[in-house]
Amino acid sequence: MTGKDNTGTARRVTAMSAGDSTVRPPFTEIRRFGELDSTNRYLLDEARAGAAAGLVVVADHQTAGRGRLGRRWEAPAGTNLLVSVLLRPALAVGDLHLVTVAVALAARTACAEATGVEPSLKWPNDLMVGERKLAGILAETIAGGPGAGVPAVVVGMGLNVGWPGPDEVPAEAAVPAEAAVPAEAAVPAELRAGATSLWRESGRRVEPTVVLGLLLDHLGPRIDDLDDPDNPDGRDALVAEYGRACSTVGRAVTVSMATETVTGTVTGITAAGHLLVDVGGRTRTITAGDVVHLRG
C-alpha cells in the first residue's frame, strides 16, 4: 500500500456482510480502516501509483473527510458509511460526472432496500429526505497512473446511517458501545435541523456494512452500463432515472458557479446529466455549481 500519512491498519477482506454477499465485479477488493484521514485521499494516492479499478476503501472514522467546496463531513466512529471507490470508466472526460450519477442512484436504492427510506437526489451530489441531507458525494479525477492510460475517478460518499439518531434518542446512544463518546456526538441544533440519518427516518438500526453491500450490488450494473460503448441506451436510462429521482427539478434555486451566481427555476436534466435552469425566461445549461433550494 502507498500513502505515508495513512492512519490505522487496513484489514483486507474478500466479503462484507450484506447477507453473505461477496465482492463481485467490477469491484475487486475492499480495504477497511478503523481510522483514516480521508478515504478519497487514500484512493487518489493508490490511483496515482497505478491501482486498478474496483478497489473500495471504507473507514469507521475520518479525521479529514470533506465534501464539495471543502466542506467537512464528520460523525462519531462506526455510526455512518464512509466509503470511496476507485473506477477507471471508459468515458470521455466530459462524461466522467456520470459516475457520480451512478453512485447516487445506487445509494438511493440501497437505502430503500435496507430501511424503506427512499431519498430524493439534489443536483449534483446530495441525497435528501425532505429538506434534510442524508448523504453527500464527492468525485475527484486524476490522469491515468503508471501503466494505466484511462483516467481514474475516485468517488467518495458519506452516508448517515445511524447518526444523527432520532430526536428522542440521546446523542450518546447513537454511538457504538465500544467507541468513546466524542464531543461532536452532541449534535448542534442547526445540524440536527439540516441533517438526518436512516435510523432517524426509518426507526430501524442497520449496520453501515449492510448498506455498503447493497450499494456495491446496485452500483456494479450501473458502472457496467457506463463502461459499455455499444450500449448508449444504458447511459440514457441512467440519466432518465436520475431525472425522475431529482428533487431539484421544478424548484426555484440559486446556483453558484465559478464566475457567477444565477437564480431561476429548474426545468429539467439534460441527456448529459446537466441542469436546465430558466433564468428570466432564458434557459441556462449548468454543468457544475453549488445549488441552494429556495423556499416558497
Side-chain angles (χ1 to χ4, degrees):
M1 289 180 294
T2 62
K4 294 181 180 179
D5 3 28
N6 293 341
T7 58
T9 301
R11 300 190 303 276
R12 300 190 183 190
V13 296
T14 56
M16 298 295 288
S17 57
D20 289 325
S21 69
T22 57
V23 178
R24 293 189 293 272
F27 306 106
T28 56
E29 181 186 359
I30 299 173
R31 298 179 189 173
R32 180 164 183 168
F33 291 80
E35 184 174 278
L36 197 63
D37 56 350
S38 164
T39 56
N40 261 31
R41 199 277 312 152
Y42 176 90
L43 275 187
L44 288 169
D45 283 353
E46 294 294 295
R48 292 186 184 100
L55 178 58
V56 180
V57 169
V58 186
D60 290 336
H61 182 249
Q62 291 186 119
T63 59
R66 65 195 189 284
R68 291 187 71 250
L69 306 180
R71 296 184 178 115
R72 295 294 300 274
W73 183 280
E74 292 190 10
T79 56
N80 294 335
L81 177 59
L82 309 173
V83 59
S84 294
V85 296
L86 170 59
L87 302 167
R88 295 186 183 273
L91 293 171
V93 172
D95 291 333
L96 289 176
H97 64 279
L98 293 176
V99 174
T100 302
V101 170
V103 171
L105 289 169
R108 180 174 188 255
T109 304
C111 291
E113 289 192 5
T115 65
V117 174
E118 189 171 52
S120 63
L121 305 179
K122 177 188 172 191
W123 194 92
N125 67 334
D126 291 338
L127 277 70
M128 310 289 293
V129 179
E131 296 302 315
R132 290 174 170 170
K133 183 172 178 176
L134 179 70
I137 300 169
L138 174 65
E140 299 178 271
T141 304
I142 62 172
V150 179
V153 182
V154 171
V155 186
M157 181 176 66
L159 193 158
N160 295 339
V161 177
W163 184 91
D167 294 339
E168 66 274 12
V169 176
E172 58 271 16
V175 180
E178 65 274 13
V181 180
E184 64 265 27
V187 186
E190 63 272 17
L191 178 58
R192 181 167 286 279
T196 193
S197 69
L198 292 177
W199 183 24
R200 188 181 189 188
E201 296 296 331
S202 69
R204 295 170 57 187
R205 298 200 74 166
V206 298
E207 290 296 320
T209 52
V210 171
V211 183
L212 172 65
L214 292 168
L215 170 71
L216 298 181
D217 284 346
H218 290 288
L219 179 57
R222 289 178 166 94
I223 296 301
D224 289 342
D225 283 343
L226 288 178
D227 262 344
D228 186 353
D230 297 324
N231 182 26
D233 290 345
R235 299 184 193 186
D236 292 345
L238 191 77
V239 175
E241 182 187 2
Y242 182 86
R244 292 191 296 271
C246 183
S247 60
T248 305
V249 176
R251 294 289 299 263
V253 299
T254 293
V255 186
S256 298
M257 295 168 282
T259 59
E260 64 176 322
T261 298
V262 299
T263 298
T265 301
V266 177
T267 59
I269 304 290
T270 72
H274 302 316
L275 202 64
L276 294 174
V277 183
D278 183 316
V279 181
R282 177 183 168 216
T283 298
R284 297 281 303 272
T285 299
I286 309 296
T287 60
D290 191 53
V291 172
V292 175
H293 288 179
L294 302 179
R295 298 182 182 276

